[in-house]
Amino acid sequence: MDDHRPGATGTWGRLPAFLLLFLLIGCAARPGMEVLTPSATTPASADAVTVYVATTRERQAPDQNSFTNRRAHELNFADYTVSVPPTHKPGRIEWPRTPVDPATSFTPIRDTVLTRPSFEAALAGRRCGETGASTAVFVHGYNTNFPEALFRVVQMTADTDPRTIPILFAWPSDASTLGYVADRDSAMYSRDYLADFLLRLTQLCGGGQITLVGHSMGGWLTVEALRQLRLAGRDDVLKRLQVALASPDIDIEVFRTQMSIIGPLSPPMTVLVSRDDRALSVSSRLAGARQRLGRLNVDEPEVQEAARTANLNIIDISGLEASDSFNHDRYVSFAGAYAKMAATGAVTPGTGLRQAGAFVFRAVGTALSSPFVLAGQALSPE
């Protein structure tokens, strides 16, 4: 459930889950693959972001980057170059209208159908394996179509570090409010593909930094892939990854069993949570009132102890702005705020927090030397 959701008041959280779902069906039409048609005009002042795609979505035709919600029997690869308008505001996706105006909206410039060899050659051409290089893999969540996931990666790359090599791992979400079970099955279908992809990526980008981010149901898919890698004895792959889960839609007990196999990671896995995440509240009701990982309350002593025991950084980002009434996309604000602090030296990118635990992130209007607060006391700068 991403930022295309309609605005609403706090009464959303009190609605029965089934009623909330039916209200959501009345959302405005969402963008389809047509918005990714390349434009012939791009303003000279626009910045461009190239996103590389690995997907378990099936193509409509072998020679086209027109992806469906059907499940492919092998990974498909592509790249898209999208211009970001000079008027872009951080955290926002300026959706293209008809006719497209590159001066005010995200505008696709080109796309390329890639094979696995040409995909890997493109990453090698970006020197992803060199020391100091940074590659980020984003795994989207439930009810997300391909353009929504792609433009989110473009936006986050533009707002954080344009030097990062962005990769979208796109799985075949139905992009339907009532498609929760179908999406869960498609995520499960994709976990071996993601595990195999991460294995090859760590080999290809041997000396560079690789960050893996899973949002919502994509967080569940991410953790399942990590579990597969551990069971396969690929500790070498896990050691190469910096993992972050953003508003993860994972049953707490399921996560506990997953982590019992995966074990502590170094650097610690980061989990971004919001106790008022209404999208995960609906997910919890659909799952029989079972608590979701992304709604943890970091003030609870058992959460703090579990974080230290499992070597996790659980960070409450409830104080950050959300773009919709569901409070499910605050990770976008967190990424932008963290990038700004990194640029000023307030934090050191890639090092993570010095200790595992449960934290509160306070980036706005704080005089603390560190934006991360642990158990009521400020941490020293990273």
Side-chain angles (χ1 to χ4, degrees):
M1 296 181 179
D2 291 315
D3 72 327
H4 51 269
R5 303 298 179 266
T9 67
T11 57
W12 286 97
R14 297 191 294 272
L15 290 173
F18 75 90
L19 178 57
L20 179 54
L21 288 172
F22 278 106
L23 286 173
L24 288 174
I25 295 173
C27 295
R30 62 207 306 175
M33 289 297 300
E34 69 278 356
V35 301
L36 298 182
T37 302
S39 172
T41 58
T42 304
S45 58
D47 294 322
V49 174
T50 296
V51 177
Y52 301 92
V53 177
T55 179
T56 50
R57 288 178 177 270
E58 191 175 272
R59 283 190 170 96
Q60 286 187 342
D63 59 346
Q64 297 179 6
N65 283 334
S66 183
F67 295 105
T68 72
N69 62 351
R70 296 189 297 272
R71 301 165 187 168
H73 296 297
E74 61 182 5
L75 276 180
N76 284 314
F77 298 93
D79 70 29
Y80 287 82
T81 299
V82 179
S83 70
V84 178
T87 56
H88 169 65
K89 294 181 179 179
R92 298 289 300 275
I93 296 175
E94 287 86 7
W95 289 98
R97 308 294 181 182
T98 303
V100 176
D101 183 359
T104 59
S105 68
F106 283 30
T107 304
I109 300 173
R110 66 170 182 84
D111 67 90
T112 309
V113 175
L114 299 177
T115 62
R116 183 183 289 271
S118 60
F119 175 88
E120 294 183 354
L123 292 184
R126 291 285 299 270
R127 300 180 178 179
C128 73
E130 292 189 357
T131 301
S134 176
T135 300
V137 181
F138 180 74
V139 186
H140 65 79
Y142 148 71
N143 190 12
T144 302
N145 69 17
F146 186 85
E148 290 166 337
L150 179 72
F151 277 25
R152 176 58 73 197
V153 175
V154 171
Q155 173 265 309
M156 292 188 66
T157 304
D159 290 353
T160 53
D161 187 354
R163 296 169 298 178
T164 297
I165 304 169
I167 298 175
L168 168 63
F169 185 89
W171 51 276
S173 166
D174 268 5
S176 166
T177 305
L178 297 180
Y180 190 87
V181 174
D183 274 15
R184 189 77 172 194
D185 289 344
S186 288
M188 185 178 299
Y189 174 83
S190 302
R191 61 184 176 183
D192 288 345
Y193 292 95
L194 177 57
D196 291 343
F197 175 74
L198 294 172
L199 189 160
R200 181 57 188 149
L201 185 66
T202 56
Q203 294 171 340
L204 182 68
C205 305
Q209 174 184 308
I210 300 175
T211 302
L212 174 62
V213 180
H215 175 232
S216 191
M217 190 177 287
W220 179 87
L221 170 54
T222 295
V223 179
E224 277 294 293
L226 299 179
R227 180 177 178 274
Q228 294 291 97
L229 288 166
R230 185 69 85 190
L231 289 172
R234 299 312 306 239
D235 299 358
D236 56 326
V237 178
L238 296 176
K239 289 177 181 177
R240 293 292 321 287
L241 302 175
Q242 296 187 4
V243 182
L245 306 180
S247 307
D249 186 1
I250 309 176
D251 181 294
I252 292 292
E253 297 299 325
V254 170
F255 182 68
R256 182 177 288 113
T257 60
Q258 289 171 320
M259 293 307 298
S260 70
I261 300 296
I262 296 169
L265 298 179
S266 180
M269 179 187 292
T270 296
V271 183
L272 304 178
V273 303
S274 298
R275 66 190 72 182
D276 61 347
D277 188 318
R278 294 187 178 96
L280 293 183
S281 176
V282 173
S283 173
S284 175
R285 297 180 205 181
L286 290 172
R290 291 179 172 84
Q291 187 179 14
R292 318 316 282 175
L293 178 63
R295 277 177 56 89
L296 283 178
N297 183 348
V298 298
D299 292 332
E300 295 179 356
E302 57 268 32
V303 173
Q304 298 167 12
E305 177 60 29
R308 289 189 292 268
T309 300
N311 199 42
L312 300 172
N313 286 331
I314 302 177
I315 304 175
D316 188 321
I317 57 173
S318 299
L320 295 178
E321 181 182 0
S323 70
D324 65 14
S325 64
F326 288 92
N327 303 329
H328 195 49
D329 64 354
R330 287 193 174 110
Y331 71 98
V332 176
S333 295
F334 174 82
Y338 192 91
K340 288 181 180 179
M341 289 185 293
T344 61
V347 294
T348 303
T351 61
L353 296 170
R354 292 186 181 276
Q355 60 189 113
F359 305 91
V360 176
F361 183 77
R362 297 179 181 173
V364 180
T366 177
L368 298 174
S369 59
S370 168
F372 299 99
V373 178
L374 169 65
Q377 60 184 357
L379 297 173
S380 60
E382 293 183 275

